[in-house]
Coordinates of all heavy atoms in Angstrom, one line a residue:
M1 N 99.2 97.4 93.0 CA 98.5 97.9 91.8 C 98.4 99.4 92.0 O 98.1 99.9 93.0 CB 97.1 97.2 91.7 CG 96.3 97.7 90.6 SD 95.0 96.5 90.2 CE 95.9 95.6 88.9
R2 N 98.6 100.2 90.9 CA 98.5 101.6 90.9 C 97.0 102.1 90.9 O 96.2 101.6 90.1 CB 99.2 102.2 89.7 CG 99.5 103.7 89.8 CD 100.7 103.8 90.8 NE 101.1 105.2 90.9 CZ 101.9 105.6 91.8 NH1 102.5 104.8 92.6 NH2 102.3 106.8 91.8
V3 N 96.7 102.9 91.9 CA 95.3 103.4 92.1 C 95.3 104.9 92.2 O 96.1 105.5 92.9 CB 94.6 102.7 93.3 CG1 93.3 103.3 93.6 CG2 94.6 101.2 93.2
R4 N 94.3 105.5 91.5 CA 94.1 107.0 91.7 C 92.9 107.1 92.7 O 91.8 106.6 92.4 CB 93.8 107.6 90.4 CG 93.4 109.1 90.5 CD 93.1 109.8 89.2 NE 94.3 109.9 88.4 CZ 95.2 110.9 88.5 NH1 95.1 111.8 89.5 NH2 96.3 111.0 87.7
V5 N 93.1 107.9 93.7 CA 92.1 108.3 94.7 C 91.7 109.7 94.5 O 92.5 110.6 94.5 CB 92.6 108.0 96.1 CG1 91.5 108.3 97.1 CG2 93.1 106.6 96.3
T6 N 90.4 109.9 94.2 CA 89.9 111.3 93.9 C 88.8 111.7 94.8 O 87.9 110.9 95.2 CB 89.4 111.3 92.4 OG1 90.4 110.8 91.6 CG2 88.9 112.7 92.0
N7 N 88.8 113.0 95.2 CA 87.7 113.6 95.9 C 86.5 113.7 95.0 O 86.5 114.3 94.0 CB 88.1 115.0 96.4 CG 87.0 115.6 97.3 OD1 85.9 115.4 97.1 ND2 87.5 116.5 98.2
P8 N 85.3 113.0 95.3 CA 84.2 113.0 94.4 C 83.6 114.4 94.2 O 82.9 114.6 93.2 CB 83.2 112.0 95.0 CG 83.6 111.8 96.4 CD 85.1 112.1 96.5
A9 N 83.8 115.3 95.2 CA 83.2 116.6 95.1 C 84.1 117.6 94.3 O 83.7 118.7 93.9 CB 83.0 117.2 96.5
D10 N 85.4 117.2 94.1 CA 86.4 118.0 93.4 C 87.4 117.2 92.7 O 88.4 116.8 93.3 CB 87.1 119.0 94.4 CG 88.0 119.9 93.8 OD1 88.2 119.9 92.5 OD2 88.6 120.8 94.5
A11 N 87.1 116.8 91.4 CA 87.9 115.9 90.7 C 89.4 116.3 90.5 O 90.2 115.5 90.2 CB 87.3 115.6 89.3
A12 N 89.6 117.6 90.7 CA 91.0 118.1 90.6 C 91.9 117.7 91.7 O 93.1 117.8 91.7 CB 91.0 119.7 90.4
R13 N 91.2 117.3 92.8 CA 92.0 116.9 94.0 C 92.1 115.4 94.1 O 91.1 114.7 94.3 CB 91.3 117.4 95.3 CG 91.3 119.0 95.2 CD 90.7 119.5 96.5 NE 91.7 119.5 97.5 CZ 91.5 119.9 98.8 NH1 90.3 120.4 99.1 NH2 92.5 119.8 99.7
S14 N 93.3 114.9 93.8 CA 93.5 113.4 93.8 C 95.0 113.1 94.0 O 95.8 114.0 94.1 CB 93.1 112.8 92.4 OG 93.9 113.3 91.4
F15 N 95.2 111.8 94.2 CA 96.6 111.3 94.3 C 96.7 109.9 93.7 O 95.6 109.2 93.7 CB 97.2 111.4 95.7 CG 96.5 110.5 96.7 CD1 97.0 109.2 96.9 CD2 95.5 110.9 97.5 CE1 96.4 108.3 97.8 CE2 94.9 110.0 98.4 CZ 95.3 108.8 98.5
E16 N 97.8 109.5 93.3 CA 98.0 108.1 92.9 C 99.0 107.4 93.8 O 100.0 108.0 94.3 CB 98.6 108.1 91.4 CG 97.6 108.4 90.4 CD 98.1 108.0 89.0 OE1 99.0 107.2 88.8 OE2 97.5 108.7 88.1
E17 N 98.8 106.2 94.1 CA 99.6 105.4 95.0 C 99.5 103.9 94.6 O 98.5 103.5 94.0 CB 99.1 105.6 96.4 CG 99.9 105.1 97.5 CD 100.5 106.2 98.3 OE1 100.4 107.4 98.1 OE2 101.2 105.8 99.3
D18 N 100.5 103.1 95.0 CA 100.4 101.7 94.9 C 99.6 101.1 96.1 O 99.9 101.4 97.2 CB 101.8 101.1 94.8 CG 102.5 101.4 93.5 OD1 101.8 101.5 92.5 OD2 103.7 101.6 93.6
F19 N 98.6 100.3 95.8 CA 97.8 99.6 96.8 C 97.9 98.1 96.6 O 98.0 97.6 95.5 CB 96.3 100.0 96.6 CG 96.0 101.4 97.1 CD1 96.3 102.5 96.3 CD2 95.3 101.5 98.3 CE1 95.9 103.8 96.8 CE2 94.9 102.8 98.7 CZ 95.3 103.9 98.0
W20 N 97.7 97.4 97.7 CA 97.4 96.0 97.7 C 95.9 95.9 97.4 O 95.1 96.6 98.0 CB 97.7 95.3 99.0 CG 99.1 95.1 99.3 CD1 99.9 96.0 100.0 CD2 100.0 94.1 98.8 NE1 101.2 95.5 100.0 CE2 101.3 94.4 99.2 CE3 99.8 93.0 97.9 CZ2 102.3 93.5 98.9 CZ3 100.8 92.2 97.6 CH2 102.1 92.4 98.1
V21 N 95.4 95.1 96.5 CA 94.0 95.0 96.2 C 93.4 93.7 96.6 O 94.0 92.6 96.3 CB 93.8 95.2 94.6 CG1 92.3 95.0 94.2 CG2 94.3 96.6 94.2
D22 N 92.4 93.7 97.4 CA 91.7 92.6 97.9 C 90.3 92.6 97.3 O 89.4 93.4 97.7 CB 91.6 92.6 99.4 CG 90.8 91.4 100.0 OD1 90.2 90.6 99.2 OD2 90.8 91.2 101.2
T23 N 90.0 91.8 96.3 CA 88.8 91.8 95.5 C 87.6 91.4 96.4 O 86.5 91.7 96.0 CB 88.8 90.9 94.3 OG1 89.1 89.6 94.7 CG2 89.9 91.4 93.3
G24 N 87.8 90.8 97.5 CA 86.7 90.4 98.4 C 86.4 91.4 99.5 O 85.5 91.2 100.3
A25 N 87.2 92.5 99.6 CA 87.0 93.4 100.7 C 85.8 94.3 100.5 O 85.5 94.7 99.3 CB 88.3 94.3 100.8
L26 N 85.1 94.7 101.6 CA 84.0 95.6 101.5 C 84.5 97.1 101.6 O 83.8 97.9 101.1 CB 83.0 95.3 102.6 CG 82.3 93.9 102.6 CD1 81.4 93.8 103.8 CD2 81.5 93.8 101.3
Y27 N 85.6 97.3 102.2 CA 86.1 98.7 102.4 C 87.5 98.7 102.0 O 88.3 97.7 102.0 CB 86.0 99.1 103.9 CG 84.6 99.1 104.4 CD1 84.1 98.1 105.1 CD2 83.8 100.3 104.2 CE1 82.8 98.1 105.6 CE2 82.5 100.3 104.7 CZ 82.0 99.3 105.4 OH 80.7 99.3 105.8
S28 N 88.0 99.9 101.6 CA 89.4 100.2 101.3 C 89.9 101.0 102.4 O 89.3 102.0 102.9 CB 89.5 101.0 100.0 OG 88.9 100.2 98.9
F29 N 91.1 100.7 102.9 CA 91.8 101.5 104.0 C 92.9 102.3 103.4 O 93.8 101.8 102.8 CB 92.3 100.5 105.1 CG 91.1 99.8 105.8 CD1 90.7 98.6 105.4 CD2 90.5 100.5 106.8 CE1 89.7 97.9 106.0 CE2 89.4 99.8 107.5 CZ 89.0 98.6 107.0
I30 N 92.8 103.6 103.6 CA 93.8 104.6 103.1 C 94.2 105.4 104.3 O 93.3 105.9 105.1 CB 93.1 105.4 102.0 CG1 92.6 104.5 100.9 CG2 94.1 106.5 101.5 CD1 91.7 105.2 99.8
P31 N 95.5 105.8 104.4 CA 95.9 106.6 105.5 C 95.2 107.9 105.5 O 95.0 108.6 104.5 CB 97.4 106.8 105.2 CG 97.8 105.6 104.4 CD 96.6 105.3 103.5
E32 N 94.7 108.3 106.7 CA 93.9 109.5 106.9 C 94.6 110.8 106.4 O 94.0 111.7 105.8 CB 93.5 109.7 108.4 CG 92.5 108.7 108.8 CD 92.1 108.9 110.3 OE1 91.9 110.1 110.7 OE2 92.1 107.9 111.0
D33 N 95.9 110.9 106.6 CA 96.6 112.1 106.1 C 96.6 112.2 104.6 O 96.5 113.3 104.1 CB 98.1 112.1 106.6 CG 98.9 110.9 106.2 OD1 98.4 109.8 105.9 OD2 100.1 111.1 106.0
R34 N 96.6 111.1 103.9 CA 96.5 111.2 102.4 C 95.1 111.7 102.0 O 95.0 112.4 101.1 CB 96.8 109.8 101.8 CG 98.2 109.3 102.0 CD 99.2 110.2 101.3 NE 98.9 110.3 99.9 CZ 99.6 110.6 98.9 NH1 100.9 110.8 99.1 NH2 99.2 110.7 97.7
L35 N 94.1 111.2 102.7 CA 92.7 111.6 102.4 C 92.5 113.1 102.7 O 91.9 113.8 101.9 CB 91.7 110.7 103.1 CG 91.7 109.3 102.7 CD1 90.8 108.5 103.6 CD2 91.3 109.1 101.2
A36 N 93.1 113.5 103.8 CA 93.0 114.9 104.2 C 93.6 115.8 103.2 O 93.1 116.9 102.9 CB 93.6 115.2 105.6
E37 N 94.7 115.4 102.5 CA 95.4 116.2 101.5 C 94.5 116.5 100.3 O 94.7 117.5 99.7 CB 96.6 115.4 101.0 CG 97.8 115.3 102.0 CD 98.9 114.4 101.5 OE1 98.9 114.0 100.3 OE2 99.8 114.1 102.3
I38 N 93.6 115.6 100.0 CA 92.7 115.9 98.9 C 91.3 116.4 99.4 O 90.3 116.4 98.6 CB 92.6 114.7 97.9 CG1 92.0 113.5 98.6 CG2 93.9 114.4 97.3 CD1 91.6 112.3 97.7
G39 N 91.2 116.8 100.7 CA 90.0 117.4 101.2 C 88.9 116.5 101.6 O 87.7 116.9 101.8
L40 N 89.2 115.2 101.8 CA 88.2 114.2 102.2 C 88.1 114.2 103.8 O 89.1 114.1 104.4 CB 88.4 112.8 101.7 CG 88.3 112.7 100.2 CD1 88.7 111.3 99.7 CD2 86.9 113.0 99.8
Q41 N 86.9 114.2 104.3 CA 86.6 114.1 105.7 C 85.8 112.9 106.0 O 84.9 112.5 105.2 CB 85.9 115.4 106.2 CG 86.8 116.6 106.0 CD 88.1 116.6 106.8 OE1 88.1 116.2 107.9 NE2 89.1 117.1 106.1
P42 N 85.9 112.3 107.2 CA 85.0 111.2 107.5 C 83.5 111.7 107.6 O 83.3 112.8 108.0 CB 85.5 110.7 108.9 CG 86.4 111.7 109.4 CD 86.9 112.6 108.2
V43 N 82.6 110.8 107.3 CA 81.2 111.2 107.4 C 80.5 110.4 108.5 O 79.4 110.8 108.9 CB 80.4 111.0 106.0 CG1 81.0 112.0 105.0 CG2 80.6 109.6 105.5
R44 N 81.1 109.3 108.9 CA 80.5 108.5 110.0 C 81.5 107.5 110.5 O 82.6 107.4 109.9 CB 79.2 107.9 109.6 CG 79.4 106.8 108.6 CD 78.0 106.3 108.2 NE 78.1 105.4 107.0 CZ 78.0 104.1 107.1 NH1 77.6 103.5 108.2 NH2 78.1 103.3 106.0
S45 N 81.2 106.8 111.6 CA 82.1 105.7 112.0 C 81.2 104.4 112.0 O 80.0 104.5 112.1 CB 82.7 106.0 113.4 OG 81.7 106.0 114.4
R46 N 82.0 103.3 112.0 CA 81.3 102.0 112.0 C 82.2 101.0 112.7 O 83.4 101.0 112.5 CB 81.0 101.6 110.6 CG 80.3 100.3 110.5 CD 79.9 100.0 109.1 NE 79.1 98.7 109.1 CZ 78.4 98.3 108.1 NH1 78.3 99.0 107.0 NH2 77.8 97.1 108.2
E47 N 81.6 100.1 113.4 CA 82.4 98.9 113.9 C 82.5 97.9 112.8 O 81.5 97.6 112.1 CB 81.7 98.3 115.1 CG 82.5 97.2 115.7 CD 81.9 96.6 116.9 OE1 81.1 95.6 116.7 OE2 82.2 97.0 118.0
I48 N 83.7 97.5 112.5 CA 84.0 96.5 111.5 C 84.6 95.3 112.2 O 85.2 95.4 113.2 CB 84.9 97.0 110.4 CG1 86.2 97.4 110.9 CG2 84.2 98.1 109.7 CD1 87.2 97.7 109.8
I49 N 84.5 94.1 111.5 CA 85.2 92.9 112.0 C 86.3 92.6 111.0 O 86.1 92.4 109.8 CB 84.2 91.7 112.0 CG1 83.0 92.1 113.0 CG2 84.9 90.4 112.5 CD1 81.9 91.1 112.9
L50 N 87.5 92.5 111.5 CA 88.7 92.3 110.7 C 88.8 90.8 110.4 O 88.1 90.0 111.0 CB 89.9 92.8 111.3 CG 89.9 94.3 111.7 CD1 91.1 94.7 112.5 CD2 89.8 95.1 110.4
A51 N 89.6 90.5 109.4 CA 89.8 89.1 109.0 C 90.2 88.1 110.1 O 89.8 87.0 110.1 CB 90.8 89.0 107.9
D52 N 90.9 88.7 111.1 CA 91.3 87.8 112.2 C 90.3 87.8 113.4 O 90.6 87.3 114.4 CB 92.7 88.3 112.8 CG 92.7 89.7 113.4 OD1 91.6 90.3 113.5 OD2 93.8 90.2 113.8
G53 N 89.1 88.4 113.1 CA 88.0 88.3 114.1 C 88.0 89.5 115.1 O 87.0 89.7 115.8
R54 N 89.0 90.4 115.1 CA 89.0 91.6 115.9 C 87.9 92.5 115.5 O 87.7 92.7 114.3 CB 90.3 92.3 115.9 CG 91.4 91.6 116.7 CD 92.7 92.4 116.7 NE 93.2 92.4 115.3 CZ 93.8 93.4 114.7 NH1 93.9 94.6 115.3 NH2 94.2 93.4 113.4
R55 N 87.3 93.2 116.4 CA 86.3 94.3 116.1 C 87.0 95.6 116.4 O 87.6 95.8 117.4 CB 85.1 94.1 117.0 CG 84.3 92.9 116.7 CD 83.1 92.8 117.6 NE 82.4 91.6 117.3 CZ 81.3 91.6 116.5 NH1 80.8 92.7 116.0 NH2 80.6 90.5 116.3
E56 N 86.9 96.5 115.4 CA 87.4 97.9 115.6 C 86.4 98.9 115.0 O 85.7 98.6 114.1 CB 88.7 98.0 114.8 CG 89.9 97.2 115.4 CD 91.2 97.5 114.7 OE1 91.2 98.4 113.8 OE2 92.2 96.9 115.0
R57 N 86.4 100.1 115.6 CA 85.6 101.2 115.1 C 86.5 102.0 114.2 O 87.6 102.4 114.6 CB 85.1 102.0 116.3 CG 84.2 103.1 115.8 CD 83.2 103.6 116.8 NE 82.2 102.6 117.2 CZ 81.0 102.4 116.5 NH1 80.8 103.1 115.4 NH2 80.2 101.5 116.8
R58 N 86.0 102.2 113.0 CA 86.7 103.0 112.0 C 85.9 104.1 111.4 O 84.7 104.1 111.4 CB 87.1 102.1 110.8 CG 88.1 100.9 111.1 CD 89.5 101.5 111.4 NE 90.4 100.4 111.7 CZ 91.3 99.9 111.0 NH1 91.4 100.3 109.7 NH2 92.1 98.9 111.4
L59 N 86.6 105.2 111.1 CA 86.0 106.3 110.4 C 85.8 106.0 108.9 O 86.6 105.4 108.3 CB 86.8 107.6 110.5 CG 87.1 108.1 112.0 CD1 88.1 109.2 112.0 CD2 85.7 108.5 112.6
L60 N 84.6 106.4 108.4 CA 84.3 106.1 107.0 C 84.1 107.5 106.2 O 83.5 108.4 106.8 CB 83.1 105.3 106.8 CG 83.1 103.9 107.5 CD1 81.8 103.2 107.3 CD2 84.2 103.1 106.9
G61 N 84.5 107.5 105.0 CA 84.3 108.6 104.1 C 84.1 108.0 102.7 O 84.0 106.8 102.5
E62 N 83.9 108.8 101.7 CA 83.7 108.3 100.4 C 84.8 108.9 99.4 O 85.0 110.1 99.5 CB 82.3 108.6 99.9 CG 82.0 107.9 98.6 CD 80.6 107.9 98.2 OE1 79.7 107.4 99.0 OE2 80.3 108.6 97.2
A63 N 85.3 108.1 98.6 CA 86.3 108.6 97.6 C 86.0 107.8 96.3 O 85.4 106.8 96.3 CB 87.8 108.2 98.1
R64 N 86.5 108.4 95.2 CA 86.5 107.7 93.9 C 87.8 107.1 93.7 O 88.8 107.7 93.8 CB 86.1 108.7 92.8 CG 86.0 108.0 91.5 CD 85.3 108.9 90.5 NE 85.1 108.2 89.2 CZ 84.2 107.3 89.0 NH1 83.3 107.0 89.9 NH2 84.1 106.7 87.8
M65 N 87.8 105.8 93.4 CA 89.1 105.0 93.2 C 89.1 104.5 91.8 O 88.1 103.8 91.4 CB 89.2 103.9 94.3 CG 89.2 104.5 95.7 SD 89.2 103.2 96.9 CE 90.9 102.7 96.7
T66 N 90.1 104.7 91.1 CA 90.3 104.3 89.7 C 91.4 103.3 89.6 O 92.6 103.7 90.0 CB 90.5 105.4 88.7 OG1 89.4 106.4 88.9 CG2 90.5 105.0 87.3
V67 N 91.2 102.1 89.2 CA 92.2 101.1 89.0 C 92.2 100.8 87.5 O 91.2 100.4 86.9 CB 91.8 99.8 89.7 CG1 92.9 98.7 89.5 CG2 91.7 100.1 91.2
G68 N 93.3 101.0 86.9 CA 93.4 100.8 85.4 C 92.5 101.8 84.7 O 92.6 103.0 85.0
T69 N 91.6 101.3 83.9 CA 90.8 102.2 83.1 C 89.3 102.3 83.6 O 88.5 103.0 83.1 CB 90.7 101.8 81.6 OG1 90.2 100.5 81.6 CG2 92.1 101.9 81.0
S70 N 89.0 101.5 84.7 CA 87.6 101.5 85.2 C 87.6 102.2 86.6 O 88.4 102.0 87.4 CB 87.1 100.1 85.3 OG 87.8 99.4 86.3
G71 N 86.6 103.1 86.7 CA 86.4 103.8 88.0 C 85.3 103.1 88.8 O 84.4 102.6 88.3
R72 N 85.5 103.0 90.1 CA 84.6 102.4 91.0 C 84.6 103.2 92.3 O 85.6 103.5 92.9 CB 84.9 101.0 91.3 CG 84.0 100.3 92.2 CD 84.4 98.8 92.4 NE 83.6 98.2 93.4 CZ 82.6 97.4 93.1 NH1 82.4 97.0 91.9 NH2 82.0 96.8 94.1
R73 N 83.4 103.5 92.8 CA 83.3 104.2 94.1 C 83.5 103.2 95.2 O 83.0 102.1 95.2 CB 81.9 104.9 94.2 CG 81.8 106.0 93.3 CD 80.4 106.5 93.2 NE 80.0 107.1 94.5 CZ 79.6 108.3 94.6 NH1 79.4 109.1 93.6 NH2 79.2 108.8 95.8
S74 N 84.2 103.7 96.3 CA 84.4 102.8 97.4 C 84.5 103.6 98.7 O 84.9 104.7 98.7 CB 85.8 102.1 97.2 OG 86.1 101.3 98.3
R75 N 84.0 103.0 99.8 CA 84.1 103.6 101.1 C 85.6 103.5 101.5 O 86.2 102.5 101.3 CB 83.3 102.9 102.1 CG 81.8 103.2 101.8 CD 81.0 102.5 102.9 NE 79.6 102.8 102.7 CZ 78.7 102.2 101.8 NH1 79.2 101.2 101.1 NH2 77.5 102.6 101.7
A76 N 86.1 104.6 102.0 CA 87.5 104.7 102.4 C 87.6 105.1 103.9 O 86.9 105.9 104.3 CB 88.2 105.7 101.5
R77 N 88.7 104.7 104.5 CA 89.1 105.0 105.8 C 89.4 103.8 106.5 O 89.8 103.3 107.2 CB 88.1 105.9 106.6 CG 88.0 107.3 106.2 CD 89.1 108.1 106.7 NE 89.1 109.3 105.9 CZ 89.6 110.4 106.3 NH1 90.1 110.6 107.4 NH2 89.5 111.4 105.5

């Protein structure tokens, strides 16, 4: 699905990309280099449990993600 990822502090900085969308996911995972291109930096880290039961520590930041015509804020990294 085509998604626009925008820096919430600077709406002029964004990119569009095709994403797999999991409606039950709590977080969205986006390559760090793509987020850095639009000026997003991690704000904290958190241990998460993946679907297969593995635990990993991930960096978290915030981005605005728009799918179709509705915008929704989501944690990214």
